[in-house]
Amino acid sequence: MNICVFLSSADLDERYTRPAREFAELIGEGGHTLVWGGSDTGLMKVVADGVRETGGRLVGISVDFLRHFARKDADEMVIAKDLAERKALLLARADAVVVMVGGLGTLDEATEILELRKHGLLDKPVALLDTAGFYDGLILQLERMEEEGFLPVPLVRSYCYENERTPG
């Protein structure tokens, strides 16, 4: 299975890297392929390392202006001309999508996925892995949007939500 993971390329605290690494190991141990933004930095590197070290394949889809961050030992690396093409290529290669912690790029990817699902243009499984309550504010906003009639499709039909609380 090709699992697309949207996530940060920033160097992050252990409360984010530990669960990301554990999830990556599950991908690799399951014999799956990671489809990701292709970066060899930050959390993207943590996940790619975990998948690679446990036997999974790596398919990176980077973008031209970030090609210098692309992982050299990926099984496959595609360079898109811009961010819009990159998102489309990532989704096209995916059998399932997981959204992990990230910044504006990850938020953009997550909201596009929800919009595509709303219109019936994406029927792949989507999971939001909410590590350490990172997405609590987003979930609250989405629930408000649903309650007040802004979302014609119930959220429960848009994605699977997994909250991973870090002890302490």
Side-chain angles (χ1 to χ4, degrees), residues 88 91-92 112-124 126 153 157:
L91 290 175
E112 181 162 334
I113 289 166
L114 292 176
E115 187 69 9
L116 290 170
R117 288 184 65 85
K118 179 180 90 174
H119 293 291
L121 300 173
L122 181 72
D123 63 354
K124 300 170 185 187
V126 176
V153 176
R157 291 193 5 222

Side-chain angles (χ1 to χ4, degrees), residues 1 18 20 35 53 59 75 85 94 96 122-123 161:
M1 173 181 282
R18 182 192 48 77
V35 179
E53 292 167 12
V59 174
D75 295 293
E85 181 183 45
L122 181 72
D123 63 354
Y161 173 66

Side-chain angles (χ1 to χ4, degrees), residues 85-154:
E85 181 183 45
R86 177 168 129 172
K87 277 190 295 188
L89 290 169
L90 284 161
L91 290 175
R93 295 292 296 265
D95 298 312
V97 179
V98 175
V99 179
M100 299 179 77
V101 298
L104 290 174
T106 306
L107 182 60
D108 172 63
E109 293 154 348
T111 56
E112 181 162 334
I113 289 166
L114 292 176
E115 187 69 9
L116 290 170
R117 288 184 65 85
K118 179 180 90 174
H119 293 291
L121 300 173
L122 181 72
D123 63 354
K124 300 170 185 187
V126 176
L128 178 65
L129 183 56
D130 183 24
T131 304
F134 183 81
Y135 284 116
D136 287 355
L138 177 61
I139 298 302
L140 183 64
Q141 182 63 41
L142 291 171
E143 289 171 347
R144 180 178 180 185
M145 293 165 88
E146 182 175 16
E147 289 167 8
E148 295 188 18
F150 289 95
L151 302 179
V153 176

Side-chain angles (χ1 to χ4, degrees), residues 5 12 20 26-27 48 53 56 59-60 67 69 76 81 86 91 107 111 121 123 128 133 149 158-159 164:
V5 179
L12 299 171
L26 292 173
I27 293 172
E53 292 167 12
V59 174
R67 72 173 43 233
F69 293 113
E76 183 180 347
K81 68 179 184 317
R86 177 168 129 172
L91 290 175
L107 182 60
T111 56
L121 300 173
D123 63 354
L128 178 65
S158 296
Y159 68 92
E164 208 279 6

Side-chain angles (χ1 to χ4, degrees), residues 60-65 67 70 77-81 85 89:
I61 302 180
S62 189
V63 65
D64 190 53
F65 70 91
R67 72 173 43 233
M77 183 61 67
V78 176
I79 305 295
K81 68 179 184 317
E85 181 183 45
L89 290 169

